[in-house]
Amino acid sequence: MNFKSLSFCGLLLVALCCHSSAAYQIGLGRADCTGPPVEINFMGYANLKQVGRGLHLRQFARAFVVEDNNRKRMAYVSVDAGMMGYGVKREVIKRLQTRYGDVYNNDNVIISGTHTHGAPGGFLMHLLYDISILGFVPQTFEALANGIYLSIKRATENMVEGRIYLSRTTVLNANINRSPTSYLRNPAEERAQYEHDVDKELTQLRFVDREENILGAFNWYAVHPTSMNNTNKLVSSDNMGYASLVLEKEYNANKVPGKGKFVGAFCSANLGDVSPNIMGPKCSLSGNPCDILTSKCPANEGECFASGPGHDMFESTKIIGERLAEGALRLLNEASQEDYNGREVTGEIGCIHHFVDMPNYNGTTYNPMTRKIDKIRGCQPAMGYSFAAGTTDGPGAFGFEQGTLTDNPMWNLVRDFIVPPTQEDIACHSPKPILLATGRATFPYEWQPKIVPTQLCRLGDVLIPAVPGEFTTMAGRRLRNKVSAVGSATVATTFDVILAGLSNVYSSYITTPEEYQAQRYEAASTIFGPNTHTIYMDVFERLTRALLKGETVEPGPQPPYMNDRMLSMNTGVIFDGHPLDKDFGYVKQQPLKHYKINDTVHVTFVAGNPRNNLFHEKTYLTVERKINEERWKVVHTDASWDTRFIWERTHLILGFSDAHIQWKIGPNTLPGEYRIRHFGSYKYILGGIFPYEGQTQSFTITED
């Protein structure tokens, strides 16, 4: 062999080596999916009084797309939304297939809601979940569908060769178990395997390109985004969304929220019984502890509320969000150190999907207590009495108590007037006393889903079960352990398992069979009865085995198409008006001439209804700093933590309204000259929607 041939072979080996260093094609994307910020009820607390009045933090959809060397692909989206509806996913897949053909399908796209309780509802297409929103809201549905689609589209267009790393860290002082007595129902030997009664571990997937430049990070942590309580009326992505903003700000220097290449997401896990209100539940008037079993307070001591670590819900949201972000940043900073405990994710990609008819599910399971095979079956959906009691994050009404095991003749009359359960339903759900026989209710359409999607994706040696509801701590642990054990037994690989909560459809809660017996809120909201979790364990065991063996499964029965049956009591914007001497955008309240750090600027504009234009990828406001005589720089938008956009209807008949803008001047604000601008659209009384804008006079900020 001559020297030239040897040189050629050497170059070829180098080229092959360099090429193999990139395990996957990776893309990340983000898109604005904010729903109507005013006049629409929020989804989560089922509080008819919680109607949007403005905007604090915008909603975003954050996606990663990964493809292996065999051109197998998966997409994962985490959405700042209460949960996910199957109608939304179906619409997203439809739009993706219009653009990309069969590259994306029901099997390989996971859409997971963060579970914020501070965002508009009306997109789930099941009456029980939309009734407190006064029905279906097309504007919310479209905002979510388009934002999710755009996030996947952008991730697809940004795909580059790269690597994926998995790492974990412990985050303390960010969550507690809100039903600790139910958790104690689980076997002592099982509980002894865990230090805490909630998961304290944050799991991170870090995405980098060929040169190890970071593209983004997705983080899973078990906590309810309920730092913002049921009195909040400003759209908010809550603690998980704020954590994302903090993480993205670290890597997207000098960018306003929602902008920049780095994508940082915080995703839901087994959060069913997990609260961020770590100061625990107390009686609101007396400050005394609530009853630990019923979460009730004695007469004249108020309601049982759990609170966060801050002096109000905004500060609590910030504290919890910062603790989550600090955990994620700790992992990212450790990635370049020698003692980094993470590992590279390697292997092929694959996904499997199966619709399950839960009420008609019949199967078997091994009972370790009796050492026999038990038959398992599902029930028609139903909600128990303790569902109406609410949780310590947001109490219910009418004197209902958590842990209720007996029914009430008066409430049974109300229930039976709506739709009565059958004796079979009552026996099937026992010991749950049925308050609402939702599975028997069909007018004007389904009240709760009966057919649910189950989905499992393989990202190399990581398995991601996508579950259609809120798994409690132990329910999630059992599923992760089952999927991991079945995976390792099927192929000679050790798998890490990441549970993706609230994915693809919402079917309320999933407790363990032991927790179900206690009938606290989570158990009363386990809608398919005491075998719900056991059924999912059975289904995901079969999905895991089939996926890893390369087998196919039947798609299962399709959920009903109900888009054409949706009803809504939400009225649209009729028209906007303004005083004769004050046009849209007129500044009714100007800022002061001078402010200091930590002051709050308050300004007011004559406004149109924000529902006329949701300003996706834009903003209702900007805070701008003067750079020179000709240039102003945007330093904050309505997606920034330090700003609040509040809308007020000032005259119903004439259609007058005001936009109040607040800016809390943070400690890192540079001294200088500033102004605030407002952007909006108004609806003309004779038809048509037209843009307007307004601008305040300038003001100065000094350090002292």
Side-chain angles (χ1 to χ4, degrees):
M1 181 180 291
N2 62 35
F3 183 79
K4 289 184 178 180
S5 298
L6 185 62
S7 299
F8 175 78
C9 290
L11 290 172
L12 180 61
L13 287 171
V14 171
L16 289 172
C17 177
C18 293
H19 178 73
S20 65
S21 67
Y24 300 107
Q25 291 288 323
I26 300 169
L28 287 94
R30 176 184 51 243
D32 189 347
C33 60
T34 308
V38 302
E39 298 185 316
I40 300 298
N41 293 65
F42 287 173
M43 179 64 206
Y45 291 115
N47 184 351
L48 286 169
K49 296 181 180 179
Q50 197 180 17
V51 183
R53 286 191 54 214
L55 181 61
H56 184 216
L57 297 176
R58 279 190 174 263
Q59 300 170 254
F60 291 100
R62 296 174 171 90
F64 72 75
V65 171
V66 183
E67 183 178 274
D68 65 14
N69 292 331
N70 298 317
R71 301 186 68 83
K72 292 182 179 179
R73 184 179 296 195
M74 69 162 289
Y76 186 101
V77 189
S78 178
V79 192
D80 290 328
M83 56 284 292
M84 190 39 52
Y86 180 67
V88 175
K89 179 174 179 178
R90 181 166 47 201
E91 180 62 26
V92 170
I93 298 298
K94 175 183 175 182
R95 298 183 187 192
L96 288 170
Q97 292 185 340
T98 298
R99 184 174 184 86
Y100 300 108
D102 60 358
V103 171
Y104 296 106
N105 52 62
N106 220 25
D107 292 8
N108 67 359
V109 176
I110 297 175
I111 306 176
S112 170
T114 62
H115 203 38
T116 174
H117 285 37
F123 59 92
L124 291 176
M125 294 187 173
H126 286 96
L127 188 68
L128 185 71
Y129 302 134
D130 284 346
I131 194 168
S132 63
I133 320 298
L134 303 182
F136 181 68
V137 181
Q139 201 173 23
T140 305
F141 182 93
E142 173 59 25
L144 288 172
N146 192 57
I148 295 166
Y149 161 74
L150 282 176
S151 71
I152 298 175
K153 175 177 176 288
R154 289 170 179 171
T156 303
E157 293 172 349
N158 292 333
M159 292 180 75
V160 296
E161 291 185 350
R163 293 172 176 263
I164 304 171
Y165 296 89
L166 181 143
S167 56
R168 291 189 170 94
T169 189
T170 299
V171 177
L172 301 173
N173 299 320
N175 59 0
I176 62 170
N177 196 307
R178 70 185 187 191
S179 287
T181 56
S182 293
Y183 179 85
L184 290 174
R185 294 273 188 139
N186 296 303
E189 60 272 19
E190 183 180 34
R191 290 185 278 111
Q193 300 173 35
Y194 305 96
E195 182 179 358
H196 304 284
D197 61 0
V198 294
D199 285 346
K200 300 285 186 180
E201 197 170 61
L202 182 145
T203 301
Q204 181 179 97
L205 289 180
R206 175 169 57 94
F207 303 89
V208 300
D209 64 15
R210 292 184 63 177
E211 287 74 39
E212 296 290 323
N213 298 311
I214 190 164
L215 304 172
F218 275 58
N219 307 272
W220 286 262
Y221 189 79
V223 67
H224 257 77
T226 50
S227 292
M228 301 295 290
N229 63 41
N230 63 10
T231 66
N232 169 50
K233 295 184 178 180
L234 299 182
V235 170
S236 171
S237 54
D238 212 284
N239 48 48
M240 300 283 269
Y242 180 63
S244 294
L245 296 183
V246 173
L247 187 60
E248 290 179 337
K249 183 178 180 180
E250 185 74 17
Y251 288 90
N252 295 325
N254 301 316
K255 298 288 186 179
V256 295
K259 305 296 181 182
K261 293 182 179 180
F262 177 90
V263 178
F266 286 79
C267 317
S268 61
N270 50 327
L271 52 70
D273 53 358
V274 190
S275 170
N277 296 310
I278 59 176
M279 303 309 292
K282 293 181 175 59
C283 299
S284 58
L285 298 180
S286 67
N288 293 325
C290 314
D291 182 86
I292 195 169
L293 292 174
T294 64
S295 295
K296 295 296 290 186
C297 293
N300 303 318
E301 292 195 22
E303 291 186 300
C304 180
F305 263 105
S307 61
H311 74 275
D312 62 15
M313 59 183 169
F314 291 95
E315 186 178 38
S316 292
T317 299
K318 186 175 184 180
I319 291 171
I320 298 298
E322 286 176 340
R323 289 174 181 173
L324 297 179
E326 286 167 4
L329 286 167
R330 184 163 61 247
L331 291 175
L332 293 174
N333 293 332
E334 290 174 354
S336 60
Q337 301 174 10
E338 291 185 1
D339 59 349
Y340 174 56
N341 65 354
R343 66 169 186 82
E344 184 174 2
V345 175
T346 59
E348 63 184 87
I349 289 172
C351 290
I352 197 167
H353 184 286
H354 178 64
F355 286 111
V356 180
D357 184 346
M358 292 294 286
N360 293 311
Y361 189 90
N362 285 286
T364 59
T365 186
Y366 175 72
N367 188 331
M369 300 296 292
T370 63
R371 297 183 180 180
K372 295 180 179 179
I373 301 296
D374 291 344
K375 292 183 178 180
I376 54 174
R377 55 170 297 200
C379 307
Q380 289 289 335
M383 304 297 281
Y385 270 63
S386 296
F387 153 73
T391 72
T392 54
D393 291 335
F398 303 113
F400 285 95
E401 296 181 355
Q402 293 202 58
T404 298
L405 294 171
T406 57
D407 54 12
N408 176 287
M410 183 191 73
W411 286 113
N412 283 354
L413 284 173
V414 175
R415 173 199 70 193
D416 293 348
F417 177 78
I418 299 171
V419 60
T422 66
Q423 287 302 311
E424 182 182 4
D425 294 337
I426 293 171
C428 188
H429 280 274
S430 179
K432 176 200 293 180
I434 296 176
L435 179 64
L436 291 172
T438 51
R440 301 294 176 183
T442 58
F443 179 81
Y445 40 84
E446 276 191 350
W447 283 35
Q448 284 184 305
K450 298 177 183 177
I451 297 170
V452 300
T454 55
Q455 183 182 14
L456 180 71
C457 281
R458 176 184 184 179
L459 179 55
D461 49 9
V462 175
L463 295 174
I464 306 176
V467 297
E470 303 179 54
F471 273 57
T472 61
T473 299
M474 194 62 84
R477 287 169 174 171
R478 288 184 189 177
L479 183 64
R480 289 200 306 258
N481 291 340
K482 171 67 76 173
V483 169
S484 178
V486 173
S488 298
T490 305
V491 295
T493 302
T494 300
F495 289 97
D496 280 287
V497 179
I498 298 173
L499 188 144
L502 298 126
S503 295
N504 304 326
V505 82
Y506 185 59
S507 60
S508 292
Y509 284 74
I510 300 93
T511 64
T512 66
E514 296 89 345
E515 292 164 353
Y516 186 88
Q517 302 303 308
Q519 278 302 300
R520 280 179 60 83
Y521 176 85
E522 296 82 11
S525 304
T526 296
I527 67 175
F528 301 116
N531 292 321
T532 302
H533 181 259
T534 309
I535 293 172
Y536 283 123
M537 294 281 279
D538 189 41
V539 170
F540 276 99
E541 178 178 353
R542 290 188 287 109
L543 288 180
T544 304
R545 192 172 290 115
L547 175 63
L548 297 181
K549 287 184 175 181
E551 300 172 348
T552 59
V553 297
E554 293 294 324
Q558 289 287 320
Y561 183 87
M562 300 189 294
N563 298 47
D564 54 352
R565 300 173 62 187
M566 292 296 103
L567 300 178
S568 177
M569 291 180 282
N570 292 283
T571 58
V573 179
I574 301 174
F575 74 96
D576 292 298
H578 62 84
L580 291 176
D581 57 339
K582 298 177 178 65
D583 203 352
F584 293 106
Y586 175 83
V587 185
K588 293 178 67 174
Q589 179 182 347
Q590 290 280 3
L592 303 177
K593 295 290 186 181
H594 174 74
Y595 293 92
K596 299 178 182 178
I597 300 296
N598 294 324
D599 286 345
T600 301
V601 183
H602 297 265
V603 297
T604 302
F605 295 83
V606 174
N609 193 311
R611 291 172 64 192
N612 293 325
N613 188 335
L614 301 185
F615 280 91
H616 286 150
E617 311 291 334
K618 299 178 182 177
T619 179
Y620 292 113
L621 68 93
T622 55
V623 177
E624 302 175 0
R625 180 174 179 268
K626 191 172 186 179
I627 304 302
N628 52 46
E629 290 302 320
E630 298 181 353
R631 183 179 169 221
W632 292 77
K633 179 182 179 181
V634 175
V635 294
H636 291 293
T637 67
D638 61 18
S640 301
W641 175 261
D642 293 329
T643 63
R644 298 181 192 177
F645 175 78
I646 303 170
W647 180 79
E648 179 187 12
R649 174 70 74 189
T650 57
H651 200 295
L652 180 62
I653 297 176
L654 297 179
F656 294 176
S657 59
D658 289 344
H660 305 285
I661 296 173
Q662 301 173 8
W663 173 36
K664 176 69 179 293
I665 303 171
N668 296 323
T669 304
L670 295 174
E673 185 177 354
Y674 289 81
R675 70 184 183 188
I676 294 177
R677 300 175 71 192
H678 165 51
F679 306 89
S681 297
Y682 69 90
K683 188 171 186 178
Y684 186 45
I685 193 170
L686 297 180
I689 294 176
F690 304 92
Y692 70 87
E693 61 182 76
Q695 175 182 304
T696 69
Q697 63 191 20
S698 64
F699 53 93
T700 59
I701 294 176
T702 59
E703 293 180 347
D704 51 26

